[in-house]
Amino acid sequence: MSDLLERLRGRGWRMTSQRRVVAEVLDGDHVHLTADEVHARAAQRLPEISRATVYNTLGELVSLGEVIEVATDGRAKRYDPNAHHPHQHLVCSRCGTVRDVHPTGDPLADLPTAERFGFMVSQAEVTYRGLCPSCA
Amino acid sequence: MSDLLERLRGRGWRMTSQRRVVAEVLDGDHVHLTADEVHARAAQRLPEISRATVYNTLGELVSLGEVIEVATDGRAKRYDPNAHHPHQHLVCSRCGTVRDVHPTGDPLADLPTAERFGFMVSQAEVTYRGLCPSCA
DNA sequence: TTCTTGACTTAGACTCCGTCCATCGTAGGA
DNA sequence: TCCTACGATGGACGGAGTCTAAGTCAAGAA
């Protein structure tokens, strides 16, 4: 994750303790935290950090393409740091748990030009839904 | 849409003017209204209708499988009455417009058992994103 | 090293979307 | 026609996220 900190510094980010802590919290595999969970974990290391800062930092990381926002349902968005390896998501309909998955095939290729209605289509997100082992 | 009203009556729905109006508002192709838009349109015909009733009725239609809930982004959910023809959605990243699309291929078949992690996977939603002709 | 400045952070008010609840109204069967 | 359980109402409530005004501080300049 120091890679990430380096990349951010290279993009002109002012490196503050808050940003460092948020980036560190997101470090790790297959972690899909909500903004509030990120805030709670960040606050363990930096008790004064505010919710607004966490939201700001997450938003910046998303717009830089370093983190992916996953809208699970009506619930809170989750943040996925695994942004540099293309993948899709498997969501538990009951508890909201998210896993990264790697389907075969390319969904973008499955959308014929006639079905694009003049849109400049740039992305296809696949969300698989079902019950996780604990909820089934 | 009188089909829909018939089906609902057949399922034991008490037919009230509010439910009738909500069902009628959702009538039509390729309409993807938010709950507030449904409420606004319903209120043109039935000014006293309450937001709670619109939410209740939409929720019932969704759980009966007559309408699909589309979570486009962080914004309000949209309601898609085209529930009896399998399809996916194409969303404009700028203005949020939604279109129904019909890709080839079956995304569920693209998820190998080894990538299901013990989930009982029942559904695959594909959301294509890009810019619509007006926003491009 | 100190100064300077504008980018960053903070707390809390606010908005938006949706749900809940107590009460009232009414569809439809007897 | 009457009854009653199902449905509607509207206002309070809650969670998630945004905004704002004021204070703070990282990092370049001198």
Side-chain angles (χ1 to χ4, degrees):
Chain A
M1 180 56 66
S2 57
D3 297 4
L4 171 54
L5 293 178
E6 277 314 305
R7 283 201 299 278
L8 296 174
R9 193 189 297 274
R11 301 212 207 200
W13 254 34
R14 185 180 284 189
M15 193 48 58
T16 67
S17 52
Q18 291 84 350
R19 286 173 164 184
R20 198 188 327 271
V21 164
V22 169
E24 285 169 4
V25 164
L26 286 174
D27 193 5
D29 298 3
H30 304 294
V31 181
H32 298 84
L33 302 173
T34 64
D36 261 8
E37 287 164 351
V38 172
H39 178 242
R41 296 196 183 192
Q44 288 174 2
R45 308 193 205 178
L46 199 64
E48 335 75 68
I49 192 171
S50 74
R51 275 178 1 109
T53 297
V54 170
Y55 275 106
N56 287 341
T57 306
L58 288 172
E60 288 156 2
L61 288 169
V62 168
S63 67
L64 290 177
E66 296 288 351
V67 163
I68 294 171
E69 219 173 54
V70 186
T72 54
D73 229 356
R75 305 160 192 268
K77 293 174 194 162
R78 291 174 179 271
Y79 293 87
D80 179 354
N82 185 16
H84 295 294
H85 299 82
H87 62 278
Q88 305 297 347
H89 292 110
L90 172 54
V91 179
C92 177
S93 316
R94 187 166 303 162
C95 68
T97 299
V98 179
R99 288 231 36 160
D100 290 355
V101 294
H102 301 83
T104 61
D106 174 13
L108 260 187
D110 285 348
L111 192 66
T113 310
E115 281 287 312
R116 299 191 178 203
F117 303 103
F119 279 57
M120 286 179 42
V121 182
S122 54
Q123 190 191 358
E125 287 168 25
V126 185
T127 305
Y128 295 93
R129 296 189 189 280
L131 293 176
C132 72
S134 323
C135 290
Chain B
M1 180 57 64
S2 57
D3 295 5
L4 171 55
L5 293 178
E6 277 315 306
R7 282 201 299 279
L8 295 175
R9 194 188 298 274
R11 301 213 207 200
W13 254 35
R14 186 179 283 188
M15 193 48 57
T16 67
S17 53
Q18 291 86 348
R19 287 173 163 185
R20 197 188 327 273
V21 165
V22 169
E24 284 169 5
V25 164
L26 285 173
D27 193 6
D29 296 7
H30 305 296
V31 181
H32 299 84
L33 301 173
T34 64
D36 261 7
E37 287 165 351
V38 172
H39 178 242
R41 296 195 184 191
Q44 288 174 2
R45 308 193 205 175
L46 199 64
E48 335 75 68
I49 193 172
S50 74
R51 275 181 356 113
T53 297
V54 171
Y55 275 105
N56 287 341
T57 307
L58 289 172
E60 287 156 0
L61 288 169
V62 168
S63 67
L64 290 177
E66 295 288 351
V67 163
I68 294 171
E69 220 174 54
V70 186
T72 54
D73 234 354
R75 314 236 157 231
K77 292 174 193 163
R78 291 174 178 272
Y79 293 87
D80 178 354
N82 185 16
H84 295 295
H85 299 81
H87 62 279
Q88 306 296 347
H89 293 108
L90 172 54
V91 179
C92 177
S93 316
R94 188 165 301 163
C95 68
T97 299
V98 179
R99 288 230 41 158
D100 289 354
V101 293
H102 301 82
T104 61
D106 174 12
L108 259 187
D110 286 347
L111 192 66
T113 310
E115 282 288 311
R116 298 190 179 202
F117 302 103
F119 279 58
M120 287 181 41
V121 182
S122 54
Q123 190 191 357
E125 287 169 26
V126 185
T127 305
Y128 294 93
R129 297 190 187 279
L131 293 175
C132 73
S134 323
C135 289

